[in-house]
């Protein structure tokens, strides 16, 4: 059931009884609860098979694994990153237990948590390619499950939720970064997990808001809401920042987004002073839950640097262990300034660098690995074996069109889902532009955290194409076009209503209307829309299957490899 359009009420002239405020603000998500988990779990198993199949191949250090695999191992050994001997990569491939350490700590450009996640796999399976790629593959797989559930919650459709997970499962860049010991897949995972917490909290808090108001438990400013899921969002976003500093932009963007959600909910519920109520009762707690909790989470991931003396810039550690977190803060601040100086001054030229405006069109991918093994592909005179860090073109180019459509949906209809998708995408894309203008070195795989929001844009547009299921309830999960509309606040959207429906109170905005009989042609629309959606998914699946050999280091004839290099900028 795709709740992406509102079935118009029949022009009978009779007054329709409005639903309770609880159903108005946060209607239940339709569908079978068992299927709502079974479908996403099946899609997740498929994604896991893709990511774990042949995970230890190639048995080499691939691209930036040369930094993160060894840094992760150093965290296990010392608690902080350590210098290694010159040929450490070869020594590890030959013997996972080899002594690769030389004197002193090493300077690192990123916080430690992503490397701690890689280290978990090395602790379980050893310092082998499979070991250092295990947790990235697990994070990439679990991201599919999270996206399935988030998309289902946002669209009210298990089918669209599964479609979202399937698209993420077969995206080339998500696939490649899930199979390499790099950090960007962890940023994607934690940002998506934080976003999922916020979307879940939106539904839950609106439900509690409605229940409290219906009980009369309110005031001029509305009731206080605990927003329990935001504690989880703060932890997840803090861990994203503790992987790469780019997570900070999501904290800021999502923080503003939830305040707008809170204001919209209070206004829609008829609270007499919604803005003041939001500022007093929700904005300050949201700051604590998302910023303060995120900061504390971030600092906690530096425990090895803080408690185990010897790290870069650590200085003299106190003999009193409990005092070390406090006396380490000045050193940690200086260390962060040095990391910031490194990033702002990073302008070395690289053959695979690209700019953020190149990313949506896949102008310049990254060759993570390439070799030409001799006599390894039958009778072909020349063979190729590559891991090309590139998104599935059909998905990315389709997502570019979908994002433009989503922007129009938000501007014209103020659909909250369109706004949330745009916030997630722009927080991870536009924020790279200032660095690009200063010619900082950057790569396509920096766009990995954007992929879930690109997929959400696609499924939202597909849902709009399909329209509602017959005789369904169109709920607060959507805002739809209509001939007669009642306009609510800008954060909640335009919700079309029959003029006979009464308001719930001052500033109220209806977001759920029981659907009447289906409009003529609605069944045909759903049929055509479902066919278009299915066709798009099949095209993306076929495109991924076609590119799979050069995403997974399969040995193929050079001519077959060259056929997949569609543009000269891909070499």
């Amino acid at each position: 059931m795709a709740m992406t359009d509102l079935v118009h009420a029949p022009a009978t002239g009779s007054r329709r009884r409005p639903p309770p405020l609880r159903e108005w603000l946060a209607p239940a998500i339709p569908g079978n609860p068992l299927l709502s988990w079974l479908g996403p779990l099946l899609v997740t198993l498929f994604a896991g098979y893709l990511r774990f199949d042949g995970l230890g191949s190639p048995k080499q250090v691939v691209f930036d694994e040369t930094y993160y695999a060894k840094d992760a191992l150093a965290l296990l050994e010392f608690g902080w990153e350590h210098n290694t001997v010159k040929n450490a990569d070869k020594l590890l491939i030959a013997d996972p237990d080899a002594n690769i350490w030389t004197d002193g700590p090493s300077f690192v450009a990123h916080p430690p948590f992503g490397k701690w996640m890689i280290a978990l796999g090395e602790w379980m399976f050893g310092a082998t390619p499979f070991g250092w790629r295990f947790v990235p593959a697990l994070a990439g797989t679990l991201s599919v499950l999270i996206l399935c559930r988030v998309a289902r919650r946002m669209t009210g459709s298990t089918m669209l939720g599964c479609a979202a997970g399937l698209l993420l499962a077969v995206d080339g860049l998500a696939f490649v970064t899930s199979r390499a010991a790099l950090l960007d897949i962890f940023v994607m995972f934690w940002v998506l997990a934080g976003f999922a917490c916020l979307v879940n909290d939106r539904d839950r808090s609106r439900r509690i808001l409605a229940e409290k108001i219906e009980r009369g438990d309110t005031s001029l400013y509305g009731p206080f809401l605990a927003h329990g899921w935001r504690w989880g969002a703060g932890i997840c976003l803090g861990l994203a920042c503790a992987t790469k500093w780019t997570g900070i932009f999501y904290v800021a963007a999502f923080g503003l987004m939830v305040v707008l959600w809170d204001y919209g909910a209070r206004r829609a519920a008829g609270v007499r002073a919604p803005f003041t109520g939001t500022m007093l009762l929700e904005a300050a707690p949201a700051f604590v839950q998302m910023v303060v909790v995120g900061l504390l989470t971030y600092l906690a991931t530096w425990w090895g640097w803080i408690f185990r003396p010897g790290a870069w810039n650590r200085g003299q550690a106190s003999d009193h262990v409990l005092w070390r977190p406090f006396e380490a803060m000045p050193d940690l601040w200086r260390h962060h300034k040095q990391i910031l100086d490194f990033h702002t001054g990073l302008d070395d030229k690289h053959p695979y660098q690209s700019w953020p405006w190149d990313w949506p069109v896949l102008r310049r991918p990254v060759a993570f690995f390439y070799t030409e093994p001799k006599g390894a592909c039958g009778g072909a005179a020349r063979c190729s074996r590559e891991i090309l860090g590139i998104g599935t073109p059909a998905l990315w180019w389709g997502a570019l069109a979908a994002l433009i459509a989503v922007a129009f949906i938000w501007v014209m209809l103020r659909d909250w889902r369109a706004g949330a998708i745009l916030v997630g995408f722009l927080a991870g894309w536009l924020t790279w532009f200032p660095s690009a203008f200063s010619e900082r070195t950057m790569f396509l795989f920096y766009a990995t955290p954007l992929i879930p929001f690109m997929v959400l844009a696609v499924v939202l547009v597909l849902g709009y194409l399909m329209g509602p299921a017959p005789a369904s309830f169109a709920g607060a999960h959507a805002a739809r076009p209509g001939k007669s509309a009642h306009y609510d606040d800008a954060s909640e959207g335009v919700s079309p209503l029959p003029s006979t429906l009464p308001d719930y109170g001052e500033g109220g905005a209806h977001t759920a209307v029981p659907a009447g009989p289906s409009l003529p042609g609605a069944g045909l629309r759903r049929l055509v829309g479902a066919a278009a959606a299915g066709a798009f998914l099949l095209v993306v699946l076929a495109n991924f299957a076609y590119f799979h050999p050069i995403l997974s280091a399969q040995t193929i004839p050079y001519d077959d490899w060259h056929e997949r290099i569609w543009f000269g900028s891909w070499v």
Side-chain angles (χ1 to χ4, degrees):
M1 180 182 297
M3 291 210 170
T4 52
D5 203 349
L6 178 64
V7 178
H8 298 283
T12 61
S14 62
R15 293 178 63 86
R16 185 186 300 276
R17 181 181 179 182
L21 183 60
R22 160 66 178 81
E23 295 179 18
W24 207 256
L25 284 179
I29 300 174
N32 185 300
L34 177 61
L35 293 179
S36 74
W37 278 103
L38 181 60
L41 286 173
L42 290 175
V43 174
T44 303
L45 287 175
F46 173 67
Y49 170 76
L50 290 176
R51 281 149 178 75
F52 283 96
D53 181 43
L55 184 62
S57 178
K59 191 179 178 181
Q60 297 189 34
V61 176
V62 172
F63 198 59
D64 280 356
E65 286 185 342
T66 188
Y67 304 115
Y68 305 123
K70 291 179 292 190
D71 284 347
L73 190 60
L75 291 177
L76 288 177
E77 294 283 339
F78 307 99
W80 34 264
E81 296 83 354
H82 201 284
N83 282 326
T84 60
V85 296
K86 187 174 182 180
N87 60 341
D89 291 348
K90 293 182 179 179
L91 290 175
L92 279 181
I93 294 299
D95 179 9
D97 297 319
N99 183 7
I100 61 171
W101 313 114
T102 186
D103 295 332
S106 64
F107 172 76
V108 292
H110 296 293
F113 186 68
K115 289 165 282 188
W116 276 115
M117 293 186 73
I118 295 170
L120 177 61
E122 292 179 327
W123 174 71
M124 291 189 294
F125 302 105
T128 64
F130 181 86
W132 59 65
R133 295 169 192 161
F134 175 80
V135 178
L138 182 63
T141 301
L142 293 178
S143 296
V144 171
L145 178 60
I146 295 173
L147 187 61
C148 284
R149 297 290 297 176
V150 169
R152 178 184 180 271
R153 180 170 290 276
M154 293 178 72
T155 64
S157 168
T158 299
M159 179 183 67
L160 289 178
C162 291
L166 182 61
L167 289 173
L168 181 61
V170 297
D171 175 66
L173 188 61
F175 172 80
V176 168
T177 54
S178 296
R179 290 168 55 88
L182 274 67
L183 302 180
D184 302 87
I185 193 64
F186 300 134
V187 179
M188 185 191 86
F189 175 81
W190 291 113
V191 167
L192 178 58
F195 182 75
C197 289
L198 295 177
V199 172
N200 191 51
D201 179 78
R202 182 186 185 274
D203 280 359
R204 184 176 182 275
S205 64
R206 289 167 70 93
R207 182 173 66 250
I208 295 173
L209 175 65
E211 292 171 352
K212 287 190 173 185
I213 289 178
E214 287 176 332
R215 292 198 307 263
D217 181 13
T218 185
S219 67
L220 175 67
Y221 308 115
F224 173 77
L225 303 175
H227 291 288
W229 277 94
R230 287 186 187 167
W231 298 102
I235 293 172
C236 290
L237 295 175
L239 293 176
C241 295
T243 303
K244 275 192 171 183
W245 283 358
T246 49
I248 295 172
F249 300 117
Y250 291 96
V251 175
F254 290 166
L256 292 174
M257 180 180 73
V258 299
V259 170
L260 290 176
W261 284 356
D262 294 341
Y263 169 71
R266 287 177 182 266
R267 182 176 176 182
V271 172
R272 285 175 290 172
F275 179 78
T276 305
T278 299
M279 293 297 103
L280 290 177
L281 301 176
E282 297 192 287
F287 180 85
V288 172
Q289 291 169 312
M290 296 183 63
V291 177
V292 176
V293 169
L295 178 60
L296 293 175
T297 301
Y298 175 85
L299 291 174
T301 65
W302 285 86
W303 70 270
W305 189 94
I306 291 171
F307 286 100
R308 301 184 67 174
W312 185 278
N313 277 336
R314 176 61 179 91
Q316 186 67 34
S318 171
D319 292 334
H320 301 283
V321 174
L322 295 180
W323 180 244
R324 287 181 186 177
F326 304 98
E327 56 88 19
M329 288 302 107
D331 290 340
L332 189 59
W333 178 256
R334 286 191 293 271
H335 186 50
H336 277 60
K337 289 181 64 177
Q338 189 173 359
I339 294 175
L340 180 62
D341 290 341
F342 170 84
H343 285 296
T344 55
L346 183 61
D347 57 2
D348 296 339
K349 301 300 179 183
H350 193 283
Y352 292 111
Q353 72 182 43
S354 61
W355 308 117
W357 47 85
D358 295 330
W359 298 344
V361 296
L362 301 173
R363 191 192 69 82
R364 185 61 170 161
V366 178
F368 281 45
F369 170 81
Y370 181 83
T371 187
E372 295 189 3
K374 301 295 184 181
C377 49
R382 189 176 177 187
C383 304
S384 292
R385 190 182 185 206
E386 181 172 32
I387 299 175
L388 184 65
I390 188 171
T392 301
L395 174 58
W396 280 59
W397 296 338
L400 181 58
L403 284 164
I404 295 172
V406 164
F408 276 102
I409 290 170
W410 184 80
V411 170
M412 299 302 295
L413 305 178
R414 293 298 192 269
D415 184 334
W416 73 269
R417 302 167 304 170
I421 292 167
L422 289 174
V423 165
F425 179 81
L426 295 177
W429 185 53
L430 284 184
T431 49
W432 282 105
F433 276 59
S435 298
F437 294 144
S438 63
E439 298 190 346
R440 184 201 187 277
T441 310
M442 55 188 67
F443 304 92
L444 174 63
F445 59 83
Y446 290 3
T448 302
L450 307 180
I451 302 172
F453 301 100
M454 295 163 63
V455 169
L456 286 172
V458 169
V459 297
L460 181 63
V461 171
L462 293 179
Y464 264 90
L465 289 174
M466 292 169 60
S472 66
F473 280 79
H477 305 283
R480 278 74 51 177
K483 294 180 180 179
S484 176
H486 176 96
Y487 290 79
D488 67 5
D489 64 278
S491 70
E492 286 302 300
V494 179
S495 297
L497 299 169
S499 59
T500 56
L501 281 171
D503 274 347
Y504 273 106
E506 180 183 351
H510 301 286
T511 53
V513 178
S518 299
L519 288 174
L524 178 61
R525 172 185 172 181
R526 283 187 61 78
L527 180 63
V528 174
F536 179 77
L537 261 66
L538 287 175
V539 168
V540 173
L541 281 167
N543 197 204
F544 173 78
Y546 178 71
F547 277 91
H548 185 262
I550 65 171
L551 303 173
S552 55
Q554 295 183 21
T555 303
I556 57 176
Y558 175 84
D559 290 341
D560 292 349
W561 169 84
H562 194 266
E563 286 178 358
R564 291 163 171 80
I565 304 301
W566 288 353
F567 303 101
S569 62
W570 287 10
V571 179

